[in-house]
PDB file of all heavy atoms in Angstrom:
ATOM      1  N   LYS U   1     100.871 -51.817 -10.702  1.00 88.00           N
ATOM      2  CA  LYS U   1     100.054 -50.990  -9.844  1.00 88.00           C
ATOM      3  C   LYS U   1     100.625 -50.619  -8.584  1.00 88.00           C
ATOM      4  O   LYS U   1     100.317 -49.602  -7.923  1.00 88.00           O
ATOM      5  CB  LYS U   1      98.881 -52.003  -9.533  1.00 88.00           C
ATOM      6  CG  LYS U   1      97.765 -51.390  -8.659  1.00 88.00           C
ATOM      7  CD  LYS U   1      96.675 -52.324  -8.521  1.00 88.00           C
ATOM      8  CE  LYS U   1      95.535 -51.979  -7.490  1.00 88.00           C
ATOM      9  NZ  LYS U   1      94.514 -52.893  -7.394  1.00 88.00           N
ATOM     10  N   GLU U   2     101.694 -51.412  -8.040  1.00 91.00           N
ATOM     11  CA  GLU U   2     102.362 -51.120  -6.820  1.00 91.00           C
ATOM     12  C   GLU U   2     103.133 -49.751  -6.876  1.00 91.00           C
ATOM     13  O   GLU U   2     103.371 -49.237  -5.716  1.00 91.00           O
ATOM     14  CB  GLU U   2     103.378 -52.193  -6.539  1.00 91.00           C
ATOM     15  CG  GLU U   2     102.712 -53.636  -6.266  1.00 91.00           C
ATOM     16  CD  GLU U   2     103.739 -54.578  -5.973  1.00 91.00           C
ATOM     17  OE1 GLU U   2     104.936 -54.258  -5.975  1.00 91.00           O
ATOM     18  OE2 GLU U   2     103.296 -55.829  -5.719  1.00 91.00           O
ATOM     19  N   ASN U   3     103.228 -49.291  -7.994  1.00 92.00           N
ATOM     20  CA  ASN U   3     104.034 -47.853  -8.156  1.00 92.00           C
ATOM     21  C   ASN U   3     103.025 -46.779  -8.048  1.00 92.00           C
ATOM     22  O   ASN U   3     103.453 -45.656  -7.758  1.00 92.00           O
ATOM     23  CB  ASN U   3     104.767 -47.861  -9.472  1.00 92.00           C
ATOM     24  CG  ASN U   3     106.003 -48.702  -9.585  1.00 92.00           C
ATOM     25  OD1 ASN U   3     106.571 -48.997  -8.457  1.00 92.00           O
ATOM     26  ND2 ASN U   3     106.160 -49.186 -10.788  1.00 92.00           N
ATOM     27  N   VAL U   4     101.736 -46.889  -8.058  1.00 94.00           N
ATOM     28  CA  VAL U   4     100.811 -45.869  -8.025  1.00 94.00           C
ATOM     29  C   VAL U   4     100.885 -45.035  -6.819  1.00 94.00           C
ATOM     30  O   VAL U   4     100.802 -43.783  -6.854  1.00 94.00           O
ATOM     31  CB  VAL U   4      99.261 -46.302  -8.286  1.00 94.00           C
ATOM     32  CG1 VAL U   4      98.260 -45.268  -8.055  1.00 94.00           C
ATOM     33  CG2 VAL U   4      99.240 -47.007  -9.703  1.00 94.00           C
ATOM     34  N   PRO U   5     101.030 -45.769  -5.544  1.00 94.00           N
ATOM     35  CA  PRO U   5     101.057 -44.876  -4.368  1.00 94.00           C
ATOM     36  C   PRO U   5     102.114 -43.776  -4.360  1.00 94.00           C
ATOM     37  O   PRO U   5     102.046 -42.662  -3.738  1.00 94.00           O
ATOM     38  CB  PRO U   5     101.174 -45.794  -3.250  1.00 94.00           C
ATOM     39  CG  PRO U   5     100.678 -47.176  -3.799  1.00 94.00           C
ATOM     40  CD  PRO U   5     100.970 -47.064  -5.294  1.00 94.00           C
ATOM     41  N   LYS U   6     103.240 -44.022  -5.166  1.00 91.00           N
ATOM     42  CA  LYS U   6     104.282 -43.127  -5.276  1.00 91.00           C
ATOM     43  C   LYS U   6     104.007 -41.813  -5.993  1.00 91.00           C
ATOM     44  O   LYS U   6     104.666 -40.826  -5.939  1.00 91.00           O
ATOM     45  CB  LYS U   6     105.510 -43.707  -5.935  1.00 91.00           C
ATOM     46  CG  LYS U   6     106.090 -44.985  -5.139  1.00 91.00           C
ATOM     47  CD  LYS U   6     107.193 -45.657  -5.915  1.00 91.00           C
ATOM     48  CE  LYS U   6     107.586 -47.031  -5.173  1.00 91.00           C
ATOM     49  NZ  LYS U   6     108.632 -47.726  -5.975  1.00 91.00           N
ATOM     50  N   THR U   7     102.939 -41.960  -6.871  1.00 93.00           N
ATOM     51  CA  THR U   7     102.577 -40.826  -7.595  1.00 93.00           C
ATOM     52  C   THR U   7     101.508 -39.848  -7.019  1.00 93.00           C
ATOM     53  O   THR U   7     101.242 -38.794  -7.548  1.00 93.00           O
ATOM     54  CB  THR U   7     101.994 -41.269  -9.037  1.00 93.00           C
ATOM     55  OG1 THR U   7     100.611 -41.908  -8.713  1.00 93.00           O
ATOM     56  CG2 THR U   7     102.702 -42.350  -9.563  1.00 93.00           C
ATOM     57  N   ILE U   8     100.890 -40.210  -5.888  1.00 96.00           N
ATOM     58  CA  ILE U   8      99.762 -39.590  -5.396  1.00 96.00           C
ATOM     59  C   ILE U   8     100.314 -38.134  -4.774  1.00 96.00           C
ATOM     60  O   ILE U   8     101.306 -38.069  -4.088  1.00 96.00           O
ATOM     61  CB  ILE U   8      99.112 -40.440  -4.298  1.00 96.00           C
ATOM     62  CG1 ILE U   8      98.512 -41.572  -4.942  1.00 96.00           C
ATOM     63  CG2 ILE U   8      98.001 -39.668  -3.538  1.00 96.00           C
ATOM     64  CD1 ILE U   8      98.090 -42.683  -3.989  1.00 96.00           C
ATOM     65  N   ASP U   9      99.422 -37.181  -4.937  1.00 96.00           N
ATOM     66  CA  ASP U   9      99.632 -35.901  -4.331  1.00 96.00           C
ATOM     67  C   ASP U   9      99.858 -36.044  -2.794  1.00 96.00           C
ATOM     68  O   ASP U   9      99.138 -36.678  -2.050  1.00 96.00           O
ATOM     69  CB  ASP U   9      98.471 -35.043  -4.473  1.00 96.00           C
ATOM     70  CG  ASP U   9      98.618 -33.598  -4.103  1.00 96.00           C
ATOM     71  OD1 ASP U   9      99.531 -33.256  -3.299  1.00 96.00           O
ATOM     72  OD2 ASP U   9      97.844 -32.654  -4.684  1.00 96.00           O
ATOM     73  N   GLN U  10     101.019 -35.590  -2.398  1.00 91.00           N
ATOM     74  CA  GLN U  10     101.394 -35.781  -1.019  1.00 91.00           C
ATOM     75  C   GLN U  10     100.408 -35.020   0.091  1.00 91.00           C
ATOM     76  O   GLN U  10     100.434 -35.577   1.183  1.00 91.00           O
ATOM     77  CB  GLN U  10     102.843 -35.271  -0.709  1.00 91.00           C
ATOM     78  CG  GLN U  10     103.938 -36.017  -1.567  1.00 91.00           C
ATOM     79  CD  GLN U  10     105.305 -35.488  -1.348  1.00 91.00           C
ATOM     80  OE1 GLN U  10     105.370 -34.422  -0.653  1.00 91.00           O
ATOM     81  NE2 GLN U  10     106.402 -35.942  -1.767  1.00 91.00           N
ATOM     82  N   THR U  11      99.599 -34.212  -0.297  1.00 94.00           N
ATOM     83  CA  THR U  11      98.708 -33.565   0.565  1.00 94.00           C
ATOM     84  C   THR U  11      97.564 -34.503   0.796  1.00 94.00           C
ATOM     85  O   THR U  11      96.770 -34.284   1.822  1.00 94.00           O
ATOM     86  CB  THR U  11      98.127 -32.240   0.009  1.00 94.00           C
ATOM     87  OG1 THR U  11      97.323 -32.630  -1.197  1.00 94.00           O
ATOM     88  CG2 THR U  11      99.245 -31.302  -0.395  1.00 94.00           C
ATOM     89  N   LEU U  12      97.325 -35.684   0.166  1.00 94.00           N
ATOM     90  CA  LEU U  12      96.188 -36.437   0.320  1.00 94.00           C
ATOM     91  C   LEU U  12      96.275 -37.426   1.536  1.00 94.00           C
ATOM     92  O   LEU U  12      95.335 -37.662   2.116  1.00 94.00           O
ATOM     93  CB  LEU U  12      95.877 -37.253  -1.045  1.00 94.00           C
ATOM     94  CG  LEU U  12      95.373 -36.514  -2.072  1.00 94.00           C
ATOM     95  CD1 LEU U  12      95.185 -37.272  -3.417  1.00 94.00           C
ATOM     96  CD2 LEU U  12      93.990 -36.012  -1.747  1.00 94.00           C
ATOM     97  N   ASN U  13      97.474 -38.063   1.737  1.00 90.00           N
ATOM     98  CA  ASN U  13      97.651 -38.943   2.827  1.00 90.00           C
ATOM     99  C   ASN U  13      96.468 -40.013   2.872  1.00 90.00           C
ATOM    100  O   ASN U  13      95.747 -40.137   3.902  1.00 90.00           O
ATOM    101  CB  ASN U  13      97.745 -38.277   4.166  1.00 90.00           C
ATOM    102  CG  ASN U  13      98.279 -39.216   5.220  1.00 90.00           C
ATOM    103  OD1 ASN U  13      98.942 -40.315   4.906  1.00 90.00           O
ATOM    104  ND2 ASN U  13      97.954 -38.890   6.486  1.00 90.00           N
ATOM    105  N   PRO U  14      96.216 -40.753   1.851  1.00 92.00           N
ATOM    106  CA  PRO U  14      95.017 -41.507   1.661  1.00 92.00           C
ATOM    107  C   PRO U  14      95.108 -42.833   2.596  1.00 92.00           C
ATOM    108  O   PRO U  14      96.154 -43.405   2.816  1.00 92.00           O
ATOM    109  CB  PRO U  14      95.079 -42.108   0.339  1.00 92.00           C
ATOM    110  CG  PRO U  14      96.405 -42.016  -0.117  1.00 92.00           C
ATOM    111  CD  PRO U  14      97.115 -40.889   0.648  1.00 92.00           C
ATOM    112  N   ASP U  15      93.879 -43.135   3.093  1.00 92.00           N
ATOM    113  CA  ASP U  15      93.792 -44.427   3.832  1.00 92.00           C
ATOM    114  C   ASP U  15      93.477 -45.645   2.878  1.00 92.00           C
ATOM    115  O   ASP U  15      93.528 -45.387   1.580  1.00 92.00           O
ATOM    116  CB  ASP U  15      92.604 -44.370   4.870  1.00 92.00           C
ATOM    117  CG  ASP U  15      91.286 -43.982   4.286  1.00 92.00           C
ATOM    118  OD1 ASP U  15      91.097 -44.141   3.002  1.00 92.00           O
ATOM    119  OD2 ASP U  15      90.459 -43.442   5.063  1.00 92.00           O
ATOM    120  N   GLU U  16      93.298 -46.905   3.303  1.00 91.00           N
ATOM    121  CA  GLU U  16      93.064 -47.954   2.346  1.00 91.00           C
ATOM    122  C   GLU U  16      91.885 -47.747   1.485  1.00 91.00           C
ATOM    123  O   GLU U  16      91.903 -48.146   0.410  1.00 91.00           O
ATOM    124  CB  GLU U  16      92.951 -49.303   3.279  1.00 91.00           C
ATOM    125  CG  GLU U  16      92.913 -50.564   2.428  1.00 91.00           C
ATOM    126  CD  GLU U  16      92.927 -51.714   3.346  1.00 91.00           C
ATOM    127  OE1 GLU U  16      93.124 -51.599   4.520  1.00 91.00           O
ATOM    128  OE2 GLU U  16      92.611 -52.848   2.823  1.00 91.00           O
ATOM    129  N   GLU U  17      90.837 -47.337   2.115  1.00 91.00           N
ATOM    130  CA  GLU U  17      89.537 -47.211   1.248  1.00 91.00           C
ATOM    131  C   GLU U  17      89.832 -46.143   0.050  1.00 91.00           C
ATOM    132  O   GLU U  17      89.399 -46.319  -0.997  1.00 91.00           O
ATOM    133  CB  GLU U  17      88.363 -46.778   2.207  1.00 91.00           C
ATOM    134  CG  GLU U  17      87.010 -46.737   1.312  1.00 91.00           C
ATOM    135  CD  GLU U  17      85.924 -46.312   2.256  1.00 91.00           C
ATOM    136  OE1 GLU U  17      86.125 -45.771   3.259  1.00 91.00           O
ATOM    137  OE2 GLU U  17      84.681 -46.429   1.779  1.00 91.00           O
ATOM    138  N   THR U  18      90.488 -45.062   0.596  1.00 94.00           N
ATOM    139  CA  THR U  18      90.702 -44.080  -0.513  1.00 94.00           C
ATOM    140  C   THR U  18      91.603 -44.653  -1.520  1.00 94.00           C
ATOM    141  O   THR U  18      91.469 -44.242  -2.702  1.00 94.00           O
ATOM    142  CB  THR U  18      91.294 -42.795   0.253  1.00 94.00           C
ATOM    143  OG1 THR U  18      90.293 -42.315   1.158  1.00 94.00           O
ATOM    144  CG2 THR U  18      91.663 -41.741  -0.853  1.00 94.00           C
ATOM    145  N   MET U  19      92.542 -45.411  -1.095  1.00 95.00           N
ATOM    146  CA  MET U  19      93.520 -45.935  -2.255  1.00 95.00           C
ATOM    147  C   MET U  19      92.834 -46.760  -3.234  1.00 95.00           C
ATOM    148  O   MET U  19      93.130 -46.654  -4.444  1.00 95.00           O
ATOM    149  CB  MET U  19      94.586 -46.772  -1.499  1.00 95.00           C
ATOM    150  CG  MET U  19      95.829 -45.967  -1.027  1.00 95.00           C
ATOM    151  SD  MET U  19      96.579 -44.903  -2.079  1.00 95.00           S
ATOM    152  CE  MET U  19      96.850 -46.069  -3.485  1.00 95.00           C
ATOM    153  N   LEU U  20      91.775 -47.511  -2.786  1.00 95.00           N
ATOM    154  CA  LEU U  20      91.069 -48.279  -3.759  1.00 95.00           C
ATOM    155  C   LEU U  20      90.342 -47.379  -4.834  1.00 95.00           C
ATOM    156  O   LEU U  20      90.307 -47.732  -5.928  1.00 95.00           O
ATOM    157  CB  LEU U  20      90.013 -49.061  -3.126  1.00 95.00           C
ATOM    158  CG  LEU U  20      90.462 -50.282  -2.073  1.00 95.00           C
ATOM    159  CD1 LEU U  20      89.433 -51.053  -1.382  1.00 95.00           C
ATOM    160  CD2 LEU U  20      91.351 -51.318  -2.896  1.00 95.00           C
ATOM    161  N   SER U  21      89.801 -46.264  -4.313  1.00 96.00           N
ATOM    162  CA  SER U  21      89.184 -45.269  -5.170  1.00 96.00           C
ATOM    163  C   SER U  21      90.285 -44.671  -6.175  1.00 96.00           C
ATOM    164  O   SER U  21      90.057 -44.365  -7.163  1.00 96.00           O
ATOM    165  CB  SER U  21      88.522 -44.239  -4.343  1.00 96.00           C
ATOM    166  OG  SER U  21      87.974 -43.189  -5.140  1.00 96.00           O
ATOM    167  N   ILE U  22      91.371 -44.344  -5.625  1.00 96.00           N
ATOM    168  CA  ILE U  22      92.439 -43.818  -6.477  1.00 96.00           C
ATOM    169  C   ILE U  22      92.962 -44.684  -7.479  1.00 96.00           C
ATOM    170  O   ILE U  22      93.113 -44.327  -8.706  1.00 96.00           O
ATOM    171  CB  ILE U  22      93.777 -43.309  -5.552  1.00 96.00           C
ATOM    172  CG1 ILE U  22      93.337 -42.225  -4.532  1.00 96.00           C
ATOM    173  CG2 ILE U  22      94.892 -42.955  -6.381  1.00 96.00           C
ATOM    174  CD1 ILE U  22      94.449 -41.765  -3.703  1.00 96.00           C
ATOM    175  N   TYR U  23      93.051 -46.084  -7.110  1.00 96.00           N
ATOM    176  CA  TYR U  23      93.498 -47.122  -8.211  1.00 96.00           C
ATOM    177  C   TYR U  23      92.415 -47.070  -9.250  1.00 96.00           C
ATOM    178  O   TYR U  23      92.865 -47.191 -10.501  1.00 96.00           O
ATOM    179  CB  TYR U  23      93.520 -48.414  -7.597  1.00 96.00           C
ATOM    180  CG  TYR U  23      94.709 -48.734  -6.744  1.00 96.00           C
ATOM    181  CD1 TYR U  23      94.676 -49.311  -5.437  1.00 96.00           C
ATOM    182  CD2 TYR U  23      96.038 -48.365  -7.120  1.00 96.00           C
ATOM    183  CE1 TYR U  23      95.783 -49.478  -4.627  1.00 96.00           C
ATOM    184  CE2 TYR U  23      97.186 -48.660  -6.374  1.00 96.00           C
ATOM    185  CZ  TYR U  23      97.042 -49.303  -5.211  1.00 96.00           C
ATOM    186  OH  TYR U  23      98.077 -49.507  -4.380  1.00 96.00           O
ATOM    187  N   LYS U  24      91.125 -47.057  -8.980  1.00 96.00           N
ATOM    188  CA  LYS U  24      90.094 -47.039  -9.962  1.00 96.00           C
ATOM    189  C   LYS U  24      90.192 -45.747 -10.985  1.00 96.00           C
ATOM    190  O   LYS U  24      89.959 -45.813 -12.202  1.00 96.00           O
ATOM    191  CB  LYS U  24      88.793 -47.222  -9.334  1.00 96.00           C
ATOM    192  CG  LYS U  24      88.602 -48.446  -8.727  1.00 96.00           C
ATOM    193  CD  LYS U  24      87.186 -48.582  -8.172  1.00 96.00           C
ATOM    194  CE  LYS U  24      86.946 -49.914  -7.370  1.00 96.00           C
ATOM    195  NZ  LYS U  24      85.540 -49.983  -6.811  1.00 96.00           N
ATOM    196  N   MET U  25      90.489 -44.629 -10.307  1.00 97.00           N
ATOM    197  CA  MET U  25      90.514 -43.427 -11.254  1.00 97.00           C
ATOM    198  C   MET U  25      91.892 -43.448 -11.957  1.00 97.00           C
ATOM    199  O   MET U  25      91.842 -42.953 -13.068  1.00 97.00           O
ATOM    200  CB  MET U  25      90.520 -42.014 -10.367  1.00 97.00           C
ATOM    201  CG  MET U  25      90.537 -40.852 -11.135  1.00 97.00           C
ATOM    202  SD  MET U  25      90.722 -39.265 -10.223  1.00 97.00           S
ATOM    203  CE  MET U  25      89.029 -39.061  -9.670  1.00 97.00           C
ATOM    204  N   ALA U  26      92.911 -43.932 -11.408  1.00 97.00           N
ATOM    205  CA  ALA U  26      94.123 -44.126 -12.136  1.00 97.00           C
ATOM    206  C   ALA U  26      94.037 -45.059 -13.351  1.00 97.00           C
ATOM    207  O   ALA U  26      94.499 -44.657 -14.582  1.00 97.00           O
ATOM    208  CB  ALA U  26      95.205 -44.561 -11.182  1.00 97.00           C
TER     209      ALA U  26
END
């Protein structure tokens, strides 16, 4: 799971709450 942030579209620049949402969609 720690590798997921490296995959995110660079235009998003997610905050902590958004990251939780991204983890769930991933």
Side-chain angles (χ1 to χ4, degrees):
K1 183 179 177 181
E2 295 179 358
N3 292 328
V4 172
K6 301 175 185 177
T7 72
I8 297 169
D9 190 335
Q10 294 181 353
T11 66
L12 286 172
N13 191 26
D15 56 22
E16 185 175 345
E17 184 182 17
T18 301
M19 274 307 308
L20 292 175
S21 178
I22 291 174
Y23 282 134
K24 290 178 181 177
M25 186 188 278

